[in-house]
Amino acid sequence: MITIRQARANDEIAMQNCNLTNLPENYHMKYYLYHLATWPELSFVAENEQSRVVGYVLAKMNEDTAESLDGHITSLSVMRSYRRLGIAERLMNQAQRAMFEVFGAKRVSLHVRVSNIAAFSLYRNTLSFDIDHTEAKYYADGEDAYSMKKDLTTLYSLEKENLDF
């Protein structure tokens, strides 16, 4: 059984291991710590039965959006042997819900390599992200990225209205 929980500072080594194992874009430890210290509610890990981190989502709030707070998915990774089990979708849903509930985010954005068909399919077909535009040479190796966005207001606002306080 896979458990999704909020990421903690002591998860950063396991999160970085996931990143180094699976993704060509890698981050320094202080970048994970910065996210976890600044937006502790937004990043999540997936653990297996042995409490080993097998996936993570690193998320933040964009600080440069003047009119409203927008969330951003910095990184998402799931170890190969745990893919196609819905873990990435669960991690993303947790992060998006936290953005909306904790910070009142109206939108969430992310970047995905143009060549990463599996991730693009997850974001577009499963998670309902739309392509906003293409950013040329976004990645360090010169590859282009799709800049994708998703409206969170229609997703959670009805649910929020129906809550009894």
Side-chain angles (χ1 to χ4, degrees), residues 64-111:
D64 58 345
T65 308
E67 71 275 359
S68 70
L69 284 173
D70 288 352
H72 183 77
I73 302 298
T74 302
S75 183
L76 172 70
S77 181
V78 175
M79 298 302 266
R80 283 198 193 285
S81 57
Y82 288 87
R83 292 186 184 168
R84 304 200 57 80
L85 300 174
I87 296 169
E89 180 180 5
R90 290 173 58 199
L91 287 165
M92 288 289 290
N93 287 337
Q94 285 289 112
Q96 292 172 117
R97 178 178 291 280
M99 288 172 187
F100 181 80
E101 291 179 353
V102 176
F103 294 98
K106 295 189 176 10
R107 287 172 299 279
V108 60
S109 63
L110 58 81
H111 292 92

Side-chain angles (χ1 to χ4, degrees), residues 5 14 18 41 62 65 73 82 85 94-96 124 140 152-153 164:
R5 65 165 174 80
C18 236
E41 308 90 345
N62 282 332
T65 308
I73 302 298
Y82 288 87
L85 300 174
Q94 285 289 112
Q96 292 172 117
R124 188 186 61 187
L152 296 178
T153 58
D164 244 349

Side-chain angles (χ1 to χ4, degrees), residues 7-21:
R8 299 183 291 255
N10 63 350
D11 292 320
E12 67 180 301
I13 292 172
M15 292 168 73
Q16 187 182 45
N17 180 54
C18 236
N19 177 271
L20 292 170
T21 303

Side-chain angles (χ1 to χ4, degrees), residues 8 16-17 26 37 57 62-63 88 101 108 112 114 125 155 165:
R8 299 183 291 255
Q16 187 182 45
N17 180 54
N26 305 128
V57 61
N62 282 332
E63 300 164 313
E101 291 179 353
V108 60
V112 62
V114 171
N125 300 334
L155 210 67
F165 289 102

